[in-house]
Every structure is written in structure tokens, then in C-alpha cells.
Amino acid sequence: MTDEPLKTRHQEILNSVVRAYIETGEPVGSRTISKRRNNALSPASIRNVMADLADEGYLSQPHTSAGRIPTEKAIRCYVSSLTAGRLPMNEVDRLRSELGAVHTVEARVERSSHILTELSRAVGIAAAIPALAQELDQIELVPLAERRILMILVTRDHMVRNRVVALDEPIGADELASIRNYVNLNFSGWQLGEARRELLRRMAEERALYDAMMRKLALLCQKGLLASDTSPEVHMEGASNLLGLDLHLTRERMRDLLHALEEKERLIELLDRFLENEPGELEVHVGLGDAHPAMKDLALIGMTVRMPSGLPAKVAVLGHMRMQYERVMCVVLNTSRALASVQF
């Protein structure tokens, strides 16, 4: 059951209460709101409206003599009335320039989380989620000491994966170059799974058993060459910013929260749970206690986008419910747009 829309006066006063609470963190009284408003509404009239808002679950009163504190419901209602602010053009240009200066998915995801943290003073999270059917761009094979090989796999969505493998027999630099050229010439543009299956089929042919290069290629395939790895690329920065917030957490609960934010799987779970809309739609979620008990006083502002390579990505800021929503919405929106539009 959805709540009835608030009357205009009630919405305006609720917004004033939430703004005052975000600024001070203190209970808000009717006199404070009266001083903030330009019209001639008396403190008594404001007090009556605030009493109505309390009855409807938008405001709570910690003490009889104190002012009112907005509830999660109130902050959600306030946020729904907002639109993202505008970043100054010099910040937009700097943002696009910083992302354009790096040329891999991993680097852009990491840079995005840094930008989000820097501009919001909260926790910046960015993640790229590979498609299940990534396409091969190219491989590179680099000989190392002690019969080890560095296998570099680059996919068309600009993800780069490095893997060092140890072999039972040596493969020379010329042989590695032949293998690299063969794979790149024959399989660039193929989906990884299909390329790997076709390679295995070719190597199973009887004549391939007598081909030294194919035999060495089979060794590398056994070590994971062209193996499809769809693990997300996730970066989080700014967790220390939570330490200065009044989250009413014990030291142990705060430690649990910080540990949770360090786990890639938990971050992906958080983003997947709350960022469900179509790419390009800004989402705001207030009160995240269902995701983790220590997150009940936190809010998440984020967006799903598609990078120029087609790779899905999620960008978000995690912060206190008393964050400056218009500013953070603006930061997330512009970072997301830059990540989606700046070409590799």
C-alpha cells in the first residue's frame, strides 16, 4: 500500500525539517523552521503541520521537550522531491579528462571510485560486470624465468587479464610468438567459450598430434589460455570516511561493517540488490539495514550504465542518511555519464 501524496504545505515543511536535520544532526523545532521560511506561517501553524507529519510516520520525537527528527520515510519522501544538481563545467571536464586518461576497464573502474570519494567525501564504489560471452581481442605470451609464461588476455570490452603459469617443458620465445599469431589471426572476435572449444576440436584431430606448435598450444590451453573469467572488477574507496559519522555503532559493529565493505562479493551483492533499474536511471535508497544491520543509518545513491565497449557497470556512493543528496546525486550522475560516454 502506497502513501497518499502530501499536501503542498506539508511537503514544504517536511523538506525544511529534513534539510535542517541534515545540516545539524539535531532535533528540529517549529521555531527553527519558521525562521528558515520566507512566508508568514507562524510557529504554531508549523507545529500543527509537524504534529500531522508525526502522526503519519514522517517525524519522531526523541524527547517530550525536544524537536522532531525525520524518519527514513521522511528522508525517502524528501529525496523523491529532488533533482540532481549541476556540477560546474570545469569539474565535468576534469572528470571526463581523468577517465579518458586511462585505457582499461580496470583502471577506469578504479579511477571512478576515487572520483566519487573525492567529490562526495563518502564511500565511492564502482564495478564492471563482464558479460558471460566476452569476445577475444588478442592474446600476448611473454616468456619468464624457470619455465614460466605470462599469458595476457584482452577482450573486446577492454578487460585485461594476466595469468602466470608454470610448464613442465620449456617453450621458446619464437614458439610463443607463433602460438600468439595463430590464436590472434584465427580467433580474434570470437567469443571465448567458442574459441576455446574450436581450439580443442582442432587439437583433437590426428594430424595435430604431429604439429609441435599445436602440441605446445594444447599445454597452454590446459593452463587456462582463453579460459572465460566473468568475475567482476570492483573498487571501493573512502571506507575511512565512515569512521567520522555518528552511526551509533559499537566498535565491533563498525569493524563488521568495514570488513563487509572490503569483500568484493558483498559489494556486488549490495549493488545488485539496490541498483535494479535500467541503465541511465539514478536510484536513491535510504536505510540499508536489510543488507547489513550496521547499514541502517546509511544511504546509497547509484546508477547502472553501459561503458562504450558495451560492458555493464555500476557506480554508487554510500554515505550517511544525512548526506547532501542533491550534491551526491549530481556527482553520481556525472561520473556515470562520463564512464558511459568517454571512448577508449
Side-chain angles (χ1 to χ4, degrees):
M1 179 177 173
T2 57
D3 294 302
E4 289 291 320
L6 289 174
K7 298 174 183 176
T8 301
R9 176 180 290 181
H10 285 59
Q11 181 71 61
E12 290 174 353
I13 290 177
L14 179 65
N15 288 355
S16 295
V17 171
V18 174
R19 288 193 191 99
Y21 179 68
I22 286 174
E23 289 177 17
T24 67
E26 300 293 332
V28 181
S30 55
R31 287 190 175 279
T32 301
I33 301 305
S34 179
K35 291 175 183 176
R36 283 171 169 260
R37 293 175 57 81
N38 295 325
N39 58 28
L41 209 58
S42 68
S45 298
I46 293 172
R47 194 156 47 244
N48 290 335
V49 172
M50 291 175 68
D52 291 341
L53 291 170
D55 290 341
E56 295 174 33
Y58 290 98
L59 301 177
S60 65
Q61 191 170 23
H63 308 290
T64 307
S65 59
R68 308 286 175 137
I69 289 178
T71 61
E72 283 184 23
K73 180 180 178 180
I75 296 178
R76 290 191 189 102
C77 182
Y78 165 72
V79 167
S80 69
S81 71
L82 300 178
T83 55
R86 296 173 65 96
L87 272 184
M89 277 309 300
N90 64 318
E91 285 195 17
V92 174
D93 292 341
R94 181 175 71 88
L95 201 161
R96 294 178 60 85
S97 175
E98 284 196 27
L99 289 180
V102 292
H103 305 290
T104 66
V105 167
E106 294 89 333
R108 287 198 176 177
V109 167
E110 183 175 5
R111 186 65 60 88
S112 295
S113 67
H114 175 75
I115 290 169
L116 291 166
T117 298
E118 180 186 1
L119 295 180
S120 70
R121 298 287 183 251
V123 180
I125 307 171
I129 298 91
L132 292 175
Q134 289 181 290
E135 294 179 353
L136 175 68
D137 183 47
Q138 61 179 305
I139 66 164
E140 186 61 64
L141 302 171
V142 182
L144 304 174
E146 301 175 349
R147 296 183 179 178
R148 293 177 303 140
I149 305 293
L150 170 61
M151 301 193 301
I152 304 171
L153 173 69
V154 183
T155 48
R156 287 278 173 92
D157 55 17
H158 292 267
M159 293 202 80
V160 180
R161 296 184 181 85
N162 302 322
R163 180 179 300 180
V164 176
V165 298
L167 303 176
D168 295 329
E169 61 179 89
I171 301 181
D174 290 343
E175 293 175 300
L176 289 175
S178 296
I179 292 171
R180 175 201 65 204
N181 292 339
Y182 175 81
V183 172
N184 289 343
L185 182 63
N186 285 275
F187 297 105
S188 181
W190 284 50
Q191 292 183 2
L192 292 181
E194 291 181 1
R196 188 173 172 82
R197 283 190 292 274
E198 175 61 16
L199 261 179
L200 293 173
R201 187 194 67 76
R202 293 186 189 186
M203 289 185 293
E205 294 178 355
E206 186 175 353
R207 59 188 172 84
L209 298 176
Y210 302 98
D211 188 310
M213 186 200 73
M214 293 297 282
R215 194 170 58 80
K216 299 281 177 75
L217 177 54
L219 291 176
L220 295 179
C221 282
Q222 291 170 8
K223 296 292 184 177
L225 183 67
L226 297 187
S228 180
D229 176 10
T230 56
S231 60
E233 184 69 32
V234 187
H235 282 274
M236 180 276 297
E237 191 170 322
S240 59
N241 290 331
L242 297 176
L243 296 174
L245 301 179
D246 183 17
L247 296 176
H248 309 290
L249 298 178
T250 63
R251 184 176 298 178
E252 183 178 354
R253 187 59 69 85
M254 175 61 80
R255 189 164 54 243
D256 288 345
L257 173 58
L258 295 178
H259 282 322
L261 292 177
E262 290 172 359
E263 297 175 16
K264 179 188 290 190
E265 293 78 11
R266 295 291 289 272
L267 287 176
I268 288 294
E269 182 183 318
L270 183 71
L271 296 178
D272 284 345
R273 178 170 187 162
F274 292 107
L275 303 183
E276 299 178 320
N277 288 358
E278 291 296 312
E281 294 184 22
L282 190 66
E283 300 180 64
V284 183
H285 296 274
V286 178
L288 310 177
D290 288 346
H292 192 288
M295 293 186 182
K296 67 181 181 64
D297 290 328
L298 298 181
L300 183 82
I301 299 176
M303 180 185 285
T304 300
V305 297
R306 286 199 177 277
M307 300 176 73
S309 60
L311 188 67
K314 293 178 186 287
V315 172
V317 166
L318 180 70
H320 199 290
M321 281 198 294
R322 286 177 42 228
M323 71 170 77
Q324 297 292 332
Y325 285 94
E326 287 155 300
R327 165 72 178 175
V328 178
M329 289 164 66
C330 173
V331 167
V332 171
L333 185 64
N334 282 276
T335 304
S336 300
R337 285 176 174 171
L339 191 61
S341 62
V342 176
Q343 297 295 321
F344 283 97

